[in-house]
């Protein structure tokens, strides 16, 4: 089926599984509107109006169950998908915003503008943490003017990937221990295993840190470290992991 929902071109669309019983589609357009659409019932559940110019990008701020939107007016607006109300506004960009990405492990929102400036926002305090010139530090980008225009989050590795005519990877720094008590890996992962009996993900790294994560909400249940040593006292590095038939790691 088709629906006419905007007077301008659709500029971004994203599926949000956490919004509504079966998920919702969030869309934005050149006519400055953002809306939440129920594809099952073919209904617009909310139309968010607050931008003065075309909206170009969206992000789902999972930890706070909010929709972030931005575009030519340079403001980043946060919306409550349940009530349709605006819950926040971030200001600081000097050029139209091209992209938004959210990394839930650090509660950071990244925004990239037309002048290739990357802004990093703390969504827990709704304040600007820093500004990065994405031209700086990469001789290829500076020489060939292959500036970043798109970005995405690699959530598994904790990387922000910026793309012009080639991808450029930035490592997102994370604290070893978050305020919610989750212990995060600080060395490379050697395994990520799905336990279908308990609906959990088990992650194991080289240092022997094992994390158990609930798949339905992403929260860590607990973590432990394998502290085996060789005869000379040096620590054993873990290189492989598997579940046995009764789901022990």
């Amino acid at each position: 089926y088709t629906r006419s929902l905007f007077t301008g071109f659709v500029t971004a669309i994203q599926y949000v599984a956490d919004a509504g019983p079966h998920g919702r589609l969030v869309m934005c357009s050149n006519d400055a509107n953002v809306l939440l659409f129920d594809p099952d019932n073919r209904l617009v559940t909310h139309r968010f109006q607050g931008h003065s110019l075309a909206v170009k990008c969206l992000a789902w701020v999972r930890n706070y169950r909010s929709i972030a939107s931005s575009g030519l007016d340079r403001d980043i607006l946060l919306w409550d998908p349940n009530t349709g109300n605006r819950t926040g506004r971030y200001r600081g960009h000097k050029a139209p915003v091209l992209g938004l990405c959210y990394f839930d492990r650090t509660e950071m929102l990244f925004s990239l503008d037309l002048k290739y400036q990357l802004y990093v926002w703390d969504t827990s305090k709704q304040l600007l943490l820093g500004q990065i010139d994405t031209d700086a530090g990469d001789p290829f980008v500076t020489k060939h003017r292959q500036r970043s225009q798109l970005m995405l989050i690699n959530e598994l590795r904790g990387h922000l990937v910026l793309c012009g005519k080639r991808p450029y990877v930035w490592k997102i720094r994370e604290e070893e221990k978050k305020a919610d008590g989750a212990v995060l890996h600080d060395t490379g992962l050697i395994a990520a295993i799905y336990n279908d009996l308990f609906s959990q993900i088990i992650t194991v790294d080289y240092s022997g840190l094992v994390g158990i994560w609930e798949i339905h909400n992403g929260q860590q249940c607990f973590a432990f470290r394998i502290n085996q040593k060789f005869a000379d006292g040096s620590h054993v590095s873990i290189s492989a992991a598997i579940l046995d038939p009764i789901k022990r790691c």
Side-chain angles (χ1 to χ4, degrees):
Y1 64 90
T2 60
R3 287 290 304 274
S4 180
L5 302 173
F6 300 101
T7 58
F9 290 106
V10 175
T11 52
I13 183 169
Q14 183 174 337
Y15 174 71
V16 179
D18 301 335
H22 304 290
R24 296 286 188 268
L25 293 174
V26 58
M27 314 175 203
C28 60
S29 168
N30 278 336
D31 64 9
N33 282 301
V34 180
L35 63 81
L36 200 64
F37 185 74
D38 180 352
D40 292 331
N41 297 311
R42 306 182 185 186
L43 296 174
V44 175
T45 56
H46 289 293
R47 189 177 292 271
F48 311 108
Q49 295 179 319
H51 287 286
S52 58
L53 296 171
V55 185
K56 295 294 186 181
C57 50
L58 302 163
W60 173 241
V61 183
R62 182 178 294 110
N63 294 27
Y64 298 95
R65 300 184 61 82
S66 298
I67 297 166
S69 61
S70 192
L72 299 191
D73 63 8
R74 301 174 293 180
D75 287 350
I76 302 170
L77 303 184
L78 298 179
W79 309 94
D80 185 331
N82 297 315
T83 65
N85 296 328
R86 193 180 76 197
T87 59
R89 180 196 297 265
Y90 301 160
R91 285 177 165 169
H93 280 281
K94 304 298 189 297
V97 179
L98 301 174
L100 292 170
C101 283
Y102 180 68
F103 189 45
D104 54 4
R105 293 211 300 267
T106 58
E107 299 186 357
M108 290 178 180
L109 181 69
F110 299 89
S111 54
L112 179 67
D113 70 27
L114 195 58
K115 290 186 176 179
Y116 317 107
Q117 300 300 302
L118 179 69
Y119 284 56
V120 184
W121 309 87
D122 182 345
T123 55
S124 65
K125 300 180 177 64
Q126 295 201 3
L127 56 80
L128 179 65
L129 294 176
Q131 177 182 348
I132 301 169
D133 183 354
T134 61
D135 276 358
D138 185 352
F140 180 90
V141 170
T142 304
K143 179 180 178 180
H144 298 282
R145 313 291 285 181
Q146 310 297 339
R147 290 168 162 174
S148 301
Q149 297 181 3
L150 297 172
M151 63 177 178
L152 60 85
I153 294 285
N154 181 337
E155 295 189 3
L156 178 63
R157 295 186 177 273
H159 290 161
L160 178 69
V161 183
L162 301 173
C163 301
K165 288 193 174 180
R166 77 166 193 178
Y168 188 64
V169 179
W170 298 69
K171 174 65 178 175
I172 302 172
R173 295 182 61 185
E174 302 177 46
E175 295 179 357
E176 182 179 357
K177 185 157 184 158
K178 292 281 289 177
D180 62 4
V183 180
L184 304 179
H185 295 282
D186 54 7
T187 60
L189 291 179
I190 57 92
I193 310 165
Y194 175 55
N195 185 331
D196 58 357
L197 180 61
F198 298 106
S199 294
Q200 294 172 335
I201 295 291
I202 301 169
T203 54
V204 186
D205 68 22
Y206 285 109
S207 70
L209 178 63
V210 180
I212 314 296
W213 308 83
E214 294 289 355
I215 198 168
H216 68 279
N217 61 15
Q219 298 299 308
Q220 189 179 76
C221 305
F222 61 93
F224 62 92
R225 191 176 295 276
I226 302 168
N227 287 317
Q228 292 183 343
K229 295 182 179 181
F230 292 110
D232 61 3
S234 60
H235 286 275
V236 173
S237 295
I238 308 300
S239 59
I242 193 172
L243 295 181
D244 68 11
I246 60 174
K247 306 302 180 181
R248 296 177 303 185
C249 185

